[in-house]
């Protein structure tokens, strides 16, 4: 190939003083596009043709370099006059940048060709088990993709938010809406026989129970067993039904683990919320989590990303943000294993009626439970004035304190009471609220009476001054809370 042919191959002319480097590169890329090594296999006609053309390019490069050295690279004889020297220096300066750019471009072109050639040789030596037939191109790509997948570093699990859609679609058929004459709640299937776990307070004092899966078909259900203290109940459907059930996790979730809560808050069937596991309370019997829940979510399922039940949402704190609590999975599993083989039994409404009748039949002394006596007060718990919210594990209760003579004299001297002349102080009636979740209490109201029954002082704490406090060990309020807890467990 002559220098002229080499230049023409690249689309340039040796006589062109203003070389268009960008056009040269475009011509080169167009003419050498077949050098993509992924288009053919080693030792094929395409490869041989590419190899031959690469040799032509190398030869063209050598001719082109020699040609430009002859055109612009030599110096004139010393016998030339000063004008010629100036013209030569001017021409050299005019084309020096062009030559430099051309040299860089050709060097890059050559390096690219050599790199492609080395890649082909390397692939041929290291993939000797790959067929050289071009018809196996798809298979080769698949093997290379598998090799890439084995060597690729996977992204961290927390690099992006999980997609809950597939998980929800898989577990939603196991969630049911529970309806009774006392209200609505949630539950979930835990066996192919149609057993359903829920909270005891969902079916407490109910005369009938119906469950509605996500397909909208209502089914009659019976009670197998319940645990008042742990607030759990196991139901079973009364007719055959194709059940998709959930597995209960054998271990506690990890703190910070992503979870979803599925239930029927306010009767809104199949509501999903997401959050994380915040902490564990009361010796790991409660799983604290952030997925929002509302009344009606009780008895639903707290599920990890594997689709396992890691808790049953049961209660929430209303004085904070997303302070929600679920019964731990090991407690759920033990209760289910102990109750699953039992026969259906009567609803606990009968037991509730018996309790109320027993309370009505108690003597006056039994309605006031003695707590303690010290040098200041004799204390009682008013059993007939207890309101218990099992969903939130909170209670409001009334206690009556009878002051001793020593305390009576101190109260008369206290300007806050303004004791009337000739009257003695009688019982003090105090109203408290207690949160069993963290064993804190709130003093809401105090009414001081005279012995004749008239009011000496009625103090109601403003809501702006509400302060949940922790009772000290051995204090009167601590004894009250412990007695109240025992009473509620007993009843």
């Amino acid at each position: 190939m002559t220098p002229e042919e080499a230049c023409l191959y690249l689309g340039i002319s040796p006589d062109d003083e203003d070389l268009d480097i960008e056009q040269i590169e475009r011509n080169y890329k167009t003419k050498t596009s077949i050098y993509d090594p992924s288009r053919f296999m080693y030792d094929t006609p395409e490869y041989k043709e590419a190899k031959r053309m690469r040799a032509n390019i190398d030869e063209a490069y050598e001719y082109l370099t020699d040609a430009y050295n002859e055109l612009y690279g030599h110096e004139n004889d010393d016998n030339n006059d000063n004008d010629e020297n100036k013209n030569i220096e001017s021409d050299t300066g005019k084309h020096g940048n062009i030559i430099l750019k051309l040299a860089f471009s050709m060097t890059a072109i050559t390096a690219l060709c050599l790199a492609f050639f080395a890649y082909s040789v390397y692939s041929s030596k290291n993939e000797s088990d790959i067929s050289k037939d071009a018809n196996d191109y798809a298979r080769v790509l698949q093997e290379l993709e598998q090799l890439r997948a084995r060597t690729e570093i996977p992204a961290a699990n927390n690099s992006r938010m999980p997609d809950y859609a597939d998980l929800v679609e898989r577990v939603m058929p196991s969630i049911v809406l529970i309806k009774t004459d006392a209200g609505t709640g949630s539950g979930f299937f835990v066996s192919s026989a149609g057993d359903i776990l829920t909270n005891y307070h969902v079916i407490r004092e109910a005369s009938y129970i119906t469950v509605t899966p996500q397909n909208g078909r209502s089914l009659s259900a019976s009670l197998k067993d319940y645990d008042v203290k742990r607030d759990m109940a196991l139901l079973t459907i009364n007719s055959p039904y194709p059940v998709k059930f959930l597995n209960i996790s054998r271990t506690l979730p990890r703190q910070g683990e992503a979870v979803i809560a599925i239930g029927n808050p306010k009767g809104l069937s199949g509501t999903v919320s997401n959050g994380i596991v915040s902490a564990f309370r009361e010796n790991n019997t409660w799983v604290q989590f952030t997925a929002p829940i509302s009344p009606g979510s009780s008895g639903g399922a707290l599920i990890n990303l594997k689709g396992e039940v890691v808790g049953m949402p049961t209660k929430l704190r209303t004085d904070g943000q997303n302070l929600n609590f679920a019964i731990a999975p090991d407690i759920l599993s033990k209760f289910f294993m102990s109750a699953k083989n039992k026969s259906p039994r009567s609803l606990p409404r009968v037991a509730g009626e018996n309790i109320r009748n027993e309370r009505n039949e108690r003597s006056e002394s039994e309605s006031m439970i003695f707590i303690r006596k010290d040098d200041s007060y004799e204390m009682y718990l008013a059993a007939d004035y207890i309101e218990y919210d099992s969903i939130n594990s909170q209670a409001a209760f009334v206690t009556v304190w009878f002051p001793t003579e020593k305390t009576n004299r101190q109260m008369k001297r206290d300007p806050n009471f303004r004791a009337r002349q000739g009257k003695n102080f009688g019982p003090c009636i105090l109203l408290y609220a207690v949160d069993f979740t963290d064993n804190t209490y709130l003093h809401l109201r105090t009414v001081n009476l005279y012995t004749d029954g008239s009011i000496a002082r009625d103090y109601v704490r403003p809501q702006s001054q509400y302060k949940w406090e922790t009772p000290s060990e051995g204090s009167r309020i601590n004894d009250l809370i412990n007695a109240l807890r025992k009473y509620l467990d007993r009843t």
Side-chain angles (χ1 to χ4, degrees), residues 6 27 39 180 198 242 260 383 402:
N27 292 342
R39 294 186 54 196
T180 73
T198 186
I260 61 173
F402 293 93

Side-chain angles (χ1 to χ4, degrees), residues 253-266:
R254 298 172 59 194
Q255 189 174 21
E257 183 176 345
V259 290
I260 61 173
I262 307 182
N264 312 294
K266 299 294 185 178

Side-chain angles (χ1 to χ4, degrees), residues 317-330:
R317 289 284 296 268
T318 58
D319 57 342
Q321 296 296 319
N322 293 334
L323 301 176
N324 309 315
F325 303 89
I327 300 174
D330 57 332

Side-chain angles (χ1 to χ4, degrees), residues 75-375:
E75 297 182 357
N76 290 331
D77 296 334
D78 293 336
N79 296 331
N80 293 340
D81 56 22
N82 292 335
D83 291 338
E84 287 180 334
N85 287 335
K86 292 179 180 179
N87 291 335
I88 292 173
E89 291 173 0
S90 176
D91 290 339
T92 303
K94 179 179 180 180
H95 296 290
N97 290 335
I98 297 176
I99 294 173
L100 184 60
K101 291 180 180 179
L102 184 62
F104 279 136
S105 299
M106 297 306 296
T107 301
I109 292 171
T110 304
L112 186 62
C113 293
L114 292 177
F116 285 156
F117 177 76
Y119 174 84
S120 300
V121 173
Y122 175 82
S123 299
S124 174
K125 291 181 179 180
N126 291 277
E127 301 291 341
S128 58
D129 59 328
I130 298 177
S131 173
K132 298 178 182 179
D133 189 350
N135 293 331
D136 291 339
Y137 178 56
R139 181 177 61 82
V140 173
L141 284 183
Q142 183 178 6
E143 293 179 1
L144 291 176
E145 176 63 22
Q146 293 173 352
L147 178 63
R148 183 198 67 79
R150 289 196 300 269
T151 58
E152 184 181 21
I153 299 176
N157 290 335
N158 60 353
S159 61
R160 60 183 178 87
M161 290 296 293
D163 184 2
Y164 298 105
D166 291 339
L167 173 62
V168 171
E169 184 178 357
R170 188 169 76 250
V171 303
M172 186 63 77
S174 303
I175 309 299
V176 299
L177 170 67
I178 298 178
K179 293 182 179 181
T180 73
D181 51 340
T184 62
S186 306
F188 55 93
F189 287 113
V190 287
S191 76
S192 58
D195 293 325
I196 300 169
L197 271 177
T198 186
N199 283 128
Y200 164 74
H201 72 260
V202 172
I203 52 89
R204 182 181 55 197
E205 299 184 1
S207 59
Y208 70 87
I209 303 174
T210 62
V211 297
T212 306
Q214 297 305 307
N215 62 7
R217 177 185 174 185
S218 295
L219 304 168
S220 175
S222 300
L223 175 68
K224 276 192 171 181
D225 199 5
Y226 63 93
D227 184 335
V228 177
K229 183 176 180 180
R230 295 293 190 182
D231 199 1
M232 297 180 293
L234 184 66
L235 312 178
T236 186
I237 55 177
N238 297 329
S239 58
Y241 179 79
V243 169
K244 291 185 177 181
F245 64 93
L246 299 176
N247 292 317
I248 302 174
S249 176
R250 297 182 179 180
T251 60
L252 283 170
R254 298 172 59 194
Q255 189 174 21
E257 183 176 345
V259 290
I260 61 173
I262 307 182
N264 312 294
K266 299 294 185 178
L268 299 174
S269 179
T271 297
V272 181
S273 60
N274 71 304
I276 63 170
V277 174
S278 303
F280 305 98
R281 304 297 178 192
E282 298 184 16
N283 296 323
N284 296 336
T285 59
W286 292 100
V287 178
Q288 183 181 335
F289 62 98
T290 63
I293 59 173
S294 299
S297 298
S298 297
L302 187 68
I303 298 174
N304 62 17
L305 298 185
K306 297 178 182 179
E308 300 172 329
V309 176
V310 294
M312 183 165 67
T314 301
K315 60 183 181 179
L316 72 161
R317 289 284 296 268
T318 58
D319 57 342
Q321 296 296 319
N322 293 334
L323 301 176
N324 309 315
F325 303 89
I327 300 174
D330 57 332
I331 296 176
L332 294 174
S333 181
K334 290 177 182 178
F335 172 69
F336 169 61
M337 295 302 294
S338 65
K340 68 177 183 178
N341 294 323
K342 293 184 177 181
S343 301
R345 57 183 296 178
S346 300
L347 291 172
R349 185 186 185 195
V350 175
E353 288 177 344
N354 289 339
I355 291 173
R356 287 193 295 273
N357 292 335
E358 289 173 3
R359 287 181 178 177
N360 293 333
E361 294 172 358
R362 281 189 313 215
S363 65
E364 185 67 21
S365 60
E366 289 177 323
S367 65
M368 299 292 288
I369 303 172
F370 174 77
I371 304 299
R372 66 181 268 181
K373 181 179 181 179
D374 53 33
D375 62 349

Side-chain angles (χ1 to χ4, degrees), residues 35 42 46-56 117:
Y35 282 96
Y42 180 76
E46 291 86 354
Y47 176 82
K48 293 179 179 180
E49 176 64 16
K51 187 174 180 181
R52 183 186 66 78
M53 293 190 69
R54 190 191 69 81
N56 290 342
F117 177 76

